[in-house]
Amino acid sequence: SAVISQKPSRDICQRGTSLTIQCQVDSQVTMMFWYRQQPGQSLTLIATANQGSEATYESGFVIDKFPISRPNLTFSTLTVSNMSPEDSSIYLCSVVTGPLQNTEAFFGQGTRLTVV
Amino acid sequence: DAKTTQPTSMDCAEGRAANLPCNHSTISGNEYVYWYRQIHSQGPQYIIHGLKNNETNEMASLIITEDRKSSTLILPHATLRDTAVYYCIVRVASWSGGGADGLTFGKGTHLIIQP
């Protein structure tokens, strides 16, 4: 398993501003992902954070809105840009720590974002 | 879209076994069944996964039908702390390591353990 720390745990932001969420893992991981969970909904994958290259985004998510960095094997950031109230969600970091075969993903506790 | 179907909610008495069903009639031969749960205000927690044989760990048992079109997650002695949303996810066991990947979550089953 892995210990995943997300910062901040929650924030209230003004519309039009940006927030950067950090995900730090206590060990090197093979894969990192970012998910969004809108109020009362299930989780939706935003993107795969690739080390040293651009993230791979799912349909409906774009780099200009959700820029992602992953400078090394233990750290990634997700920025929510030019926020609107519709961006109010929980944002979660997820990692795969073991080999790419037959292993599970682990999740951080999430960042609860409220945009006013 | 998610490839699984689960009941929206279930109740179970504390101390009894909680049996959570999942239908995955379109599962492919190389796809595993994964179970995660999400306790309120926390990130999802991995429970168990399996291919075709029944699996058991310290948290739960997973029973997969012979035709693999459905499965049941069993929490043998449910406690109040097991109240959560349980997600059944079907996917290949390997991570591509090269791009778009991740878990596809459906709506899950909200399990409520009653005292």
Side-chain angles (χ1 to χ4, degrees):
Chain A
S1 65
V3 177
I4 304 169
S5 300
Q6 274 189 241
K7 292 182 180 179
S9 58
R10 58 177 63 229
D11 207 343
I12 301 173
C13 300
Q14 296 291 323
R15 67 177 67 199
T17 63
S18 298
L19 176 71
T20 296
I21 302 167
Q22 298 180 359
C23 177
Q24 178 72 57
V25 193
D26 68 342
S27 59
Q28 292 186 353
V29 301
T30 49
M31 300 194 74
M32 298 184 79
F33 306 98
W34 287 98
Y35 289 81
R36 180 177 71 181
Q37 188 170 27
Q38 295 175 299
Q41 303 297 313
S42 184
L43 283 79
T44 301
L45 180 66
I46 297 173
T48 303
N50 300 309
Q51 187 203 357
S53 64
E54 192 172 287
T56 304
Y57 290 85
E58 296 297 299
S59 175
F61 297 95
V62 296
I63 188 172
D64 289 346
K65 177 66 175 178
F66 298 101
I68 290 170
S69 76
R70 188 181 170 193
N72 56 50
L73 292 175
T74 65
F75 184 78
S76 178
T77 65
L78 167 73
T79 299
V80 185
S81 303
N82 188 25
M83 288 183 286
S84 67
E86 292 70 34
D87 295 320
S88 297
S89 297
I90 300 174
Y91 293 86
L92 298 113
C93 172
S94 175
V95 304
V96 174
T97 60
L100 294 179
Q101 298 292 328
N102 197 23
T103 187
E104 63 269 20
F106 299 94
F107 288 80
Q109 292 304 298
T111 296
R112 184 178 296 272
L113 170 62
T114 301
V115 184
V116 297
Chain B
D1 291 338
K3 302 185 212 179
T4 62
T5 304
Q6 299 178 252
T8 302
S9 65
M10 293 180 61
D11 288 352
C12 178
E14 187 178 18
R16 305 296 293 270
N19 297 280
L20 291 89
C22 179
N23 286 321
H24 32 80
S25 59
T26 61
I27 192 170
S28 300
N30 64 343
E31 289 181 320
Y32 283 60
V33 180
Y34 285 78
W35 283 85
Y36 282 77
R37 72 180 182 183
Q38 187 174 27
I39 297 171
H40 184 62
S41 297
Q42 297 184 21
Q45 177 189 23
Y46 165 80
I47 301 173
I48 198 168
H49 74 284
L51 181 63
K52 55 182 179 180
N53 297 321
N54 298 336
E55 302 287 344
T56 296
N57 63 19
E58 64 277 6
M59 290 183 65
S61 294
L62 174 60
I63 308 299
I64 302 174
T65 58
E66 191 169 347
D67 64 6
R68 303 212 316 125
K69 293 185 177 182
S70 65
S71 60
T72 301
L73 178 74
I74 301 172
L75 307 178
H77 304 287
T79 70
L80 298 178
R81 289 175 294 181
D82 291 321
T83 292
V85 178
Y86 287 77
Y87 297 100
C88 171
I89 299 170
V90 167
R91 61 160 285 131
V92 295
S94 63
W95 304 86
S96 67
D101 211 331
L103 296 171
T104 300
F105 286 81
K107 298 185 182 301
T109 296
H110 187 194
L111 175 65
I112 301 171
I113 306 301
Q114 304 282 1

